[in-house]
Amino acid sequence: MTALITHTFLQNYWWLVISLLGGILLFLLFVQGGQSLIFTLPRNTLQRTLIVNALGRKWELAFTTLVTFGGALFASFPLFYATSFGGAYWLWMAILFSFILQAVAYEFRSKPGNVFGTRVYDSFLFINGSFGPFLIGVTVATFFTGSDFSLDLFNRVTWGNNLHGLEALSNPVNLLAGCTVLFLARTLGVLYIMNSVDDDSLMKESRTALIFNSIPFLLSFVAFVIILFTLRGYNISQETGLITTTDNFYFISLTGHILILLLFIAGVILVITGLFLALFRGFSSAIWYSGAGAVAVGIVLFL
């Protein structure tokens, strides 16, 4: 048994764990997606309160999963963590700050003697809901597009600019990934509200919001996948250790692993099925279909 637990086995095991956490995080961003709709979806204060209360029961899940995701990366691949996370330093600081605003908002929004009023804390929720998913998408995209820094033999960083990760916002592929994650989060947020809030008027508004958010998500997702499949990637020779670039690397990688390809196809089908059931069948539990699909696609993205 001990002979089977090799270094390669542990690397594959931990990367599978990280991929699973990444996929689950992608689904749990429905909390942020719902928060981004807090000023446009509800038509009155009661509906806004219903939405906040529904989301407030789940708000810790995404933040906890995000921290666990980073912790698993640090524990299993410390050099990868240091370079990939360090390469997007200010992006991660912005993400964490937005989640701090979320925690503050849910803690103090309804407290007696709230001198700022609920509007200020609702704005905090909107900031986290809008910028959190977008910046997470941008940051994860740098795993594929790279960051402007280099390491020496002692793993010391030399930055190519003074932006320390913010230059990722100038890359169109990164921005497209950010928009994909944002509109996915908003789409899942609408589906969660449809599943959790019992209000006929809000249900009608939610279906309209689902159309206006699912279409941009699908378009940006298809565009991102097409571009991703045409990107160059890096191959390492197991015999010589030589690293070379390969055109269409991620497409070759996906189609070369039948189980991962099938998981990707199943994930896409589940997401579309959930949207169809919600829009054309009025199915209130459609989030479990689209959510499971989001988890599957997220896992494939990392694998």
Side-chain angles (χ1 to χ4, degrees):
M1 180 65 180
T2 304
L4 296 177
I5 305 179
T6 62
H7 183 253
T8 300
F9 170 82
L10 290 174
Q11 283 189 316
N12 291 333
Y13 168 78
W14 275 106
W15 193 257
L16 180 61
V17 171
I18 290 166
S19 301
L20 178 60
L21 288 170
I24 293 174
L25 174 61
L26 196 61
F27 166 49
L28 294 178
L29 288 176
F30 71 79
V31 176
Q32 277 63 39
Q35 291 171 185
S36 70
L37 299 165
I38 198 171
F39 291 125
T40 56
L41 182 58
R43 288 293 175 258
N44 52 57
T45 303
L46 175 60
Q47 289 183 351
R48 182 176 296 111
T49 300
L50 291 173
I51 291 175
V52 172
N53 289 342
L55 295 172
R57 295 195 298 267
K58 307 293 183 183
W59 77 266
E60 304 101 327
L61 296 177
F63 188 38
T64 302
T65 305
L66 177 64
V67 173
T68 306
F69 172 79
L73 268 174
F74 174 74
S76 53
F77 301 97
L79 181 58
F80 177 82
Y81 174 90
T83 54
S84 295
F85 280 61
Y89 177 78
W90 283 117
L91 289 180
W92 280 111
M93 289 298 101
I95 291 170
L96 292 175
F97 180 73
S98 77
F99 275 88
I100 291 172
L101 290 179
Q102 180 198 38
V104 171
Y106 279 118
E107 177 67 23
F108 295 104
R109 181 182 187 273
S110 301
K111 283 288 181 71
N114 176 6
V115 296
F116 295 108
T118 58
R119 188 80 177 181
V120 171
Y121 294 110
D122 287 345
S123 298
F124 287 173
L125 295 177
F126 174 79
I127 291 172
N128 172 249
S130 300
F131 290 98
F134 176 76
L135 292 178
I136 287 175
V138 170
T139 304
V140 171
T142 63
F143 291 3
F144 300 97
T145 60
S147 300
D148 190 13
F149 71 96
S150 61
L151 296 176
D152 62 17
L153 293 177
F154 300 98
N155 296 327
R156 291 177 299 202
V157 175
T158 300
W159 292 94
N161 58 71
N162 294 321
L163 298 176
H164 293 194
L166 292 179
E167 73 279 355
L169 293 171
S170 65
N171 187 312
V173 178
N174 297 342
L175 296 178
L176 183 60
C179 290
T180 302
V181 175
L182 173 60
F183 282 107
L184 172 62
R186 287 170 64 92
T187 299
L188 293 175
V190 174
L191 291 176
Y192 176 76
I193 292 170
M194 294 174 68
N195 182 65
S196 304
V197 179
D198 185 13
D199 185 288
D200 293 338
S201 175
L202 188 59
M203 179 67 72
K204 182 179 179 181
E205 297 293 336
S206 295
R207 288 178 181 170
T208 303
L210 186 59
I211 295 174
F212 284 102
N213 286 282
S214 60
I215 291 176
F217 159 64
L218 292 173
L219 292 176
S220 57
F221 172 73
V222 171
F224 176 72
V225 169
I226 291 174
I227 293 174
L228 181 63
F229 283 171
T230 62
L231 289 180
R232 283 188 172 188
Y234 292 93
N235 246 336
I236 181 169
S237 172
Q238 299 298 326
E239 292 77 20
T240 64
L242 183 66
I243 298 175
T244 57
T245 58
T246 303
D247 291 332
N248 306 320
F249 175 80
Y250 301 107
F251 177 75
I252 296 172
S253 178
L254 179 63
T255 55
H257 298 82
I258 186 64
L259 292 179
I260 299 177
L261 176 61
L262 291 176
L263 183 61
F264 176 76
I265 295 173
V268 172
I269 292 175
L270 281 172
V271 171
I272 295 176
T273 299
L275 295 177
F276 175 83
L277 291 174
L279 287 173
F280 300 104
R281 294 289 184 267
F283 190 53
S284 61
S285 299
I287 185 174
W288 300 115
Y289 290 88
S290 294
V295 173
V297 173
I299 292 173
V300 170
L301 180 67
F302 285 95
L303 291 181

